[in-house]
Amino acid sequence: MAWIDGWPLVALAAVVLFLLQRAASTALHSNTKENELWAKLDTVGVASGGLFPWGRAIAASIIYTRQIANEGYAKFSKALGRPYALPTTWTGKAVVVVPPSQMHQLLTRPDKQADSEITNIPGLVETVQMPFVINDPNIYQNTIHFDVVRRKMTKKDMRLFAPITEEEIGLAYEDIWGTSEEWKVINGWDACGRVIARTAQRILIGLPLGRDEKLLETSRLYANSVLIGGALMNCFPPSLRKFVGPIVALRARYFQARCVNMLVPIVNERLHIFSAPKQDEKVPEDFLQWLIATAGKGGPEQLDATRIANRLIALMTPLIFAICYVFAHTVLDVYGSPDKEEFISGLYAECKDVSEKHAGLGTAEAVDSLYRVDSTIRESMRTSDVAVTNLFRDVSAGQIDLGHGIAVAKGVRMAFPTQNIHLDPEYYEDPERFDAFRFSRAFEGLDEAGLQARARERELVVTPTLSFLPLGYGRHACPGRWFAAQTMKQALAYIVLNYDVELVGKPISRKALVNTMVPPVGAKIKIRRKTR
């Protein structure tokens, strides 16, 4: 992703400093209730003196959000159990970071109550600045494609997907990673992402288009462009974003248009199947056909081929890129660990045993038995977060009482200190260390009776807890987490059983751009096929 290399963040901060101060001053005093909120909240990153203190703080958030959030967590979230204001270019003012002690209450409450209403949609949309990429607001305001995920990608549906994804993963590795037993160096980020993208696309649109190299590469580049483009747009306050956004979004829009052109023909074919008498044609069992059936319930305007193609593309970012992000980090974390020999040996033994017992990894039962693999992925998700703060909630009506005399007014965004929680020694021993078997070690050596007795204690990738939040918590936990977990477990097991892997160069160093943790897109790995 060389197009963002050398992005002049320092110059950006200097040029917009005055405008940031002006925007912050206007935003922070735009209404009485917000003004009262900011006056009562503790704030981090804002100097007590000098010129443009809020402007400097918001500009600093472009590069230093992670460090500023660390300070706020230690001083207010942990020490006092109080919320604090985190300045950010993302909103042009600040977000209210809610302490862990109030997380369960806020994330499990109904979105609509008599005295208040909260929503997670604006935060999700503005993370990637979707309005600059997709012209049709119905795509991200009426998210029926996520309704399909909730209905068709539940735990019980994994039995249908397991044999399909196992087959596609094996073929994808052979095509993308190769079968040579000689060492070769590849881009680890891209190579992991391409395998996941191809596997997910097989489920989304079936064959043969699911294996089309041009569509696979274009959709992968689109998803990458949306995430990084959103992070870059969020370096600018909202008042400037309307000018900068269309320029930054050009790359994502280019790939989006190419994807739409490739998808519309198959969407039209599937619309024909949907409208034909049931006995005329066999109805495909894949996401696209489920999406069309769901869209049909929303009226004829939802059955437009271009709109459906855009829904598929909109889903690619959270589904394909999110899985790619986690999976690539898992591979890099395992093979970059100083304890990699112990981890790889333990993973290989488990994968070999389970594969032999179940004649492969093509059943949900087999994949569910990969507890060390599951623990490895969960641990990587804990240590390699996608964002500094997460689980955003905007107050859309009334106000939210956070105690301490603090009421969050309409129009203010709340967030939770997820990265800090994941690295807090109160919740995890030696939290900075990547320990692949952290979540499986306590169950090693137990007999069947012991495992059954402690089954509820297991913390898996799909198990959100108040100390493990990458996939959400409460009412809006990620609906696609079972598919993501199963696919990643099969993909990691395939590497462990079939490839030798070494990390090339220094261990991965991760940085934040505003609230987004920038992925190590240039990471290199050395691979060779294991000798059979």
Side-chain angles (χ1 to χ4, degrees):
M1 211 169 295
W3 63 285
I4 66 165
D5 288 350
W7 183 263
L9 294 176
V10 176
L12 166 64
V15 170
V16 305
L17 182 58
F18 177 76
L19 292 174
L20 283 170
Q21 170 66 20
R22 183 177 177 184
S25 178
T26 301
L28 289 166
H29 300 87
S30 58
N31 66 64
T32 303
K33 289 185 177 180
E34 272 201 49
N35 192 21
E36 291 175 356
L37 170 66
W38 304 124
K40 290 180 179 179
L41 273 174
D42 296 305
T43 304
V44 289
V46 181
S48 57
L51 293 173
F52 313 135
W54 266 95
R56 297 205 315 270
I58 292 175
S61 73
I62 297 171
I63 302 175
Y64 297 112
T65 289
R66 191 180 190 185
Q67 293 89 328
I68 297 170
N70 289 346
E71 177 188 347
Y73 185 74
K75 289 175 65 174
F76 304 116
S77 299
K78 290 289 289 183
L80 302 175
R82 291 173 58 92
Y84 69 90
L86 177 66
T88 175
T89 54
W90 188 29
T91 60
K93 42 187 176 182
V95 296
V96 178
V97 180
V98 181
S101 58
Q102 294 179 298
M103 190 154 49
H104 178 76
Q105 176 188 354
L106 280 172
L107 294 179
T108 57
R109 59 157 268 171
D111 290 347
K112 294 184 180 181
Q113 291 188 344
D115 61 344
S116 62
E117 184 176 336
I118 58 175
T119 175
N120 66 333
I121 298 300
L124 293 174
V125 170
E126 291 176 22
T127 295
V128 294
Q129 294 299 335
M130 193 60 71
F132 290 104
V133 180
I134 295 180
N135 290 330
D136 183 358
N138 189 267
I139 302 300
Y140 48 84
Q141 292 175 355
N142 179 20
T143 54
I144 61 175
H145 39 291
F146 287 114
D147 293 338
V148 180
V149 174
R150 292 184 186 95
R151 286 192 304 105
K152 291 291 192 177
M153 289 186 162
T154 64
K155 179 174 175 53
K156 65 181 177 61
D157 297 309
M158 294 306 105
R159 295 176 184 274
L160 168 66
F161 296 135
I164 301 171
T165 50
E166 183 201 35
E167 176 190 48
E168 202 60 40
I169 284 168
L171 294 171
Y173 273 116
E174 290 184 3
D175 292 344
I176 296 167
W177 286 43
T179 58
S180 173
E181 295 177 4
E182 299 295 324
W183 286 106
K184 66 177 180 180
V185 176
I186 59 174
N187 182 300
W189 185 263
D190 289 345
C192 290
R194 289 175 66 196
V195 170
I196 294 297
R198 174 167 154 176
T199 305
Q201 214 146 280
R202 165 85 180 266
I203 298 299
L204 286 179
I205 57 177
L207 297 176
L209 193 58
R211 289 180 185 162
D212 184 273
E213 283 297 324
K214 185 181 293 186
L215 178 59
L216 283 165
E217 186 62 7
T218 304
S219 63
R220 189 182 66 83
L221 291 171
Y222 165 76
N224 287 354
S225 300
V226 166
L227 183 81
I228 301 300
L232 292 177
M233 287 184 229
N234 288 331
C235 292
F236 295 85
S239 58
L240 297 180
R241 203 173 292 148
K242 59 186 177 182
F243 304 108
V244 178
I247 299 172
V248 176
L250 283 174
R251 181 178 171 86
R253 290 175 70 90
Y254 168 74
F255 291 125
Q256 177 211 25
R258 291 185 62 188
C259 284
V260 168
N261 289 336
M262 286 184 269
L263 287 170
V264 163
I266 188 175
V267 173
N268 278 322
E269 290 177 16
R270 297 299 191 82
L271 285 169
H272 173 76
I273 294 174
F274 174 72
S275 61
K278 298 294 184 194
Q279 66 272 19
D280 283 4
E281 295 191 54
K282 182 179 178 182
V283 178
E285 277 285 307
D286 59 28
F287 188 91
L288 173 55
Q289 206 64 40
W290 302 329
L291 174 60
I292 289 172
T294 302
K297 298 175 184 177
E301 70 278 3
Q302 297 297 341
L303 290 176
D304 176 77
T306 299
R307 175 169 281 182
I308 290 173
N310 272 307
R311 289 197 185 282
L312 283 172
I313 295 166
L315 190 65
M316 287 176 181
T317 304
L319 182 66
I320 294 180
F321 186 88
I323 301 175
C324 292
Y325 187 103
V326 172
F327 180 65
H329 270 108
T330 300
V331 173
L332 297 173
D333 286 341
V334 170
Y335 289 95
S337 169
D339 302 308
K340 65 180 180 181
E341 298 302 329
E342 172 197 344
F343 297 153
I344 294 166
S345 175
L347 289 169
Y348 183 86
E350 177 182 74
C351 294
K352 185 172 184 293
D353 178 65
V354 171
S355 182
E356 290 176 351
K357 180 179 179 180
H358 293 270
L361 299 175
T363 65
E365 291 79 11
V367 180
D368 287 346
S369 300
L370 296 172
Y371 292 115
R372 290 176 184 168
V373 174
D374 190 289
S375 174
T376 300
I377 297 169
R378 183 180 169 100
E379 176 71 347
S380 181
M381 295 172 76
R382 182 188 71 82
T383 59
S384 298
D385 259 312
V386 68
V388 178
T389 62
N390 213 330
L391 310 184
F392 318 111
R393 296 293 185 271
D394 285 40
V395 181
S396 52
Q399 58 185 21
I400 301 296
D401 184 2
L402 296 182
H404 308 283
I406 295 168
V408 183
K410 178 182 176 180
V412 176
R413 180 164 299 159
M414 299 180 291
F416 296 87
T418 49
Q419 187 174 75
N420 291 118
I421 290 171
H422 293 158
L423 299 177
D424 189 333
E426 178 182 341
Y427 307 116
Y428 298 100
E429 182 181 350
D430 196 6
E432 301 282 346
R433 175 179 176 246
F434 172 79
D435 178 5
F437 303 149
R438 184 185 296 271
F439 301 103
S440 61
R441 190 174 291 111
F443 301 89
E444 300 281 359
L446 296 179
D447 59 20
E448 192 61 32
L451 290 172
Q452 289 290 336
R454 298 186 60 187
R456 291 182 178 273
E457 297 176 30
R458 278 197 187 273
E459 294 184 348
L460 305 172
V461 168
V462 296
T463 314
T465 69
L466 289 171
S467 58
F468 181 77
L469 301 157
L471 295 173
Y473 182 85
R475 297 177 66 85
H476 295 288
C478 175
R481 62 188 183 273
W482 288 279
F483 175 75
Q486 180 168 275
T487 302
M488 289 189 292
K489 287 161 74 173
Q490 288 175 315
L492 181 59
Y494 193 93
I495 292 178
V496 169
L497 290 172
N498 293 283
Y499 290 94
D500 294 318
V501 180
E502 293 182 5
L503 188 65
V504 176
K506 298 179 180 178
I508 302 301
S509 176
R510 306 177 71 238
K511 298 178 180 179
L513 188 61
V514 192
N515 193 58
T516 300
M517 298 304 297
V518 179
V521 295
K524 297 287 193 298
I525 57 174
K526 188 165 65 171
I527 65 168
R528 68 180 177 187
R529 189 82 174 191
K530 289 182 184 290
T531 304
R532 295 190 182 278

